[in-house]
Amino acid sequence: MKTIKLLLPCFLVTAALLSCNKKKLTEVVEVPLPAAEEKVTLGQPDDVKADEGTFAMAKLPYAYDALAPNLDALTMEIHYSKHYLTYTNNLNRLIAGTEQEKLPIEELIAKLDMSNADLRNNAGGYYNHTLFFEGMAPKAGGAPKDTLAVAINRDFGSFDNFKTAFSDAASKQFGSGWAWLITDRAGKLQVISTPNQDNPLMPQMPIKGTPILGLDVWEHAYYLNFRYKRKNYIDNFFNAINWTKVNERYEDAMRRKY
Ligand code: MN
């Protein structure tokens, strides 16, 4: 049987080649697809290990598929296990053997030499992604409670006003960047956006403050699932915000005087 199985395709190919010779060269020859489909297997966040270095990746407190359908599993996996990992490794490599290794990340960023693009991008990338991944949770979203709810009403008038301001900042950030909810240097909540991996802790920022909620609007954060529809991604992010965590950050910022 094996011989027949092998001979038959050989015969067909030969016949096709012979018949091709007689036909016009412009004829399209159909190429068969591989029989086995390529299977995408999701990894586990715990399997992701940064190289040895000062700063560790935040442990993802949920599975890659736990935020679906708001944020899809494959985007989450690539974002966490590739992008975030790379920023972490680059940051650690850039500061190895320097005084910056002794600083908390917030202080390292606040004291950045902004002309050092490599360190600016990777320190920002590390900090921003840590905040982003920890700011989401399964079965989350809705509106904040606690002290943050009071502060949002005080500074934006209502939660809906805040949501509109934040969505606008995220939509209108041209190109790659981030939208933020921050406590500014007077303790007031503000919504801002920054380009690239900048954040409002950095020197020379037009509005400085402590980020308590961050949304990544780089295309890698949404393009697989939402394609060019950044607005849909922003709407879905609101269903995944871990307001308990954001409230903790708010109270912490208030305690430390922003
Ligand atoms: Mn990102």
Side-chain angles (χ1 to χ4, degrees), residues 10 13 20 28-29 40 46 65 93 98 124 140 147 154 162-163 187 191 201 218 233 248 254:
C10 286
V13 167
C20 272
V28 177
V29 178
V40 177
D46 286 352
D65 61 358
R93 181 175 48 76
T98 72
T147 48
R154 179 195 69 205
F162 152 74
K163 195 173 169 181
V191 163
L201 294 171
W218 283 57
Y233 161 65
E248 270 173 37
M254 290 298 107

Side-chain angles (χ1 to χ4, degrees), residues 78-80 83-84 87 125 128-129 132-133 177-178 197 215-222 233:
I78 294 170
H79 205 172
Y80 182 82
H83 293 272
Y84 181 32
Y87 288 120
N128 298 350
H129 285 87
F132 175 65
F133 286 118
W178 290 76
Q197 293 296 354
L215 175 58
D216 188 341
V217 295
W218 283 57
E219 284 185 345
H220 69 235
Y222 63 87
Y233 161 65

